[in-house]
Amino acid sequence: VQKMAERGIPVLSVCNGFQILVESGLLPGVLIKNESLNIMCEWTNHIVENNKTPFTNKLELNQKIPIQ
């Protein structure tokens, strides 16, 4: 994944994949321990703030998209 990202190939990762991207240094920041050790799976609404990416170019600005 790191080699692909270095070549400019878009990378989208959620859940454990997001953790891998952070821990590998592909994304900045750190993760904190989930104190309850429970997995949360809930629908959340996200607002499109940038529709000029490979992942959002078919969406409208300010469009609300539900993601689980």
Side-chain angles (χ1 to χ4, degrees):
V1 172
Q2 191 164 9
K3 289 178 184 176
M4 293 172 60
E6 288 170 358
R7 291 196 318 247
I9 296 172
V11 175
L12 177 66
S13 188
V14 296
C15 202
N16 290 354
F18 178 80
Q19 180 178 350
I20 290 168
L21 292 183
V22 172
E23 290 178 355
S24 69
L26 285 170
L27 288 176
V30 295
L31 300 174
I32 59 173
K33 182 178 179 182
N34 176 351
E35 293 298 328
S36 70
L37 299 178
N38 292 321
I39 295 173
M40 294 175 56
C41 185
E42 298 176 356
W43 283 95
T44 58
N45 288 312
H46 299 265
I47 305 295
V48 177
E49 294 182 356
N50 179 351
N51 65 353
K52 297 183 181 3
T53 75
F55 304 110
T56 61
N57 63 16
K58 301 220 186 300
L59 302 171
E60 299 291 326
L61 281 178
N62 299 315
Q63 180 178 346
K64 185 188 304 183
I65 53 172
I67 297 178
Q68 183 179 35

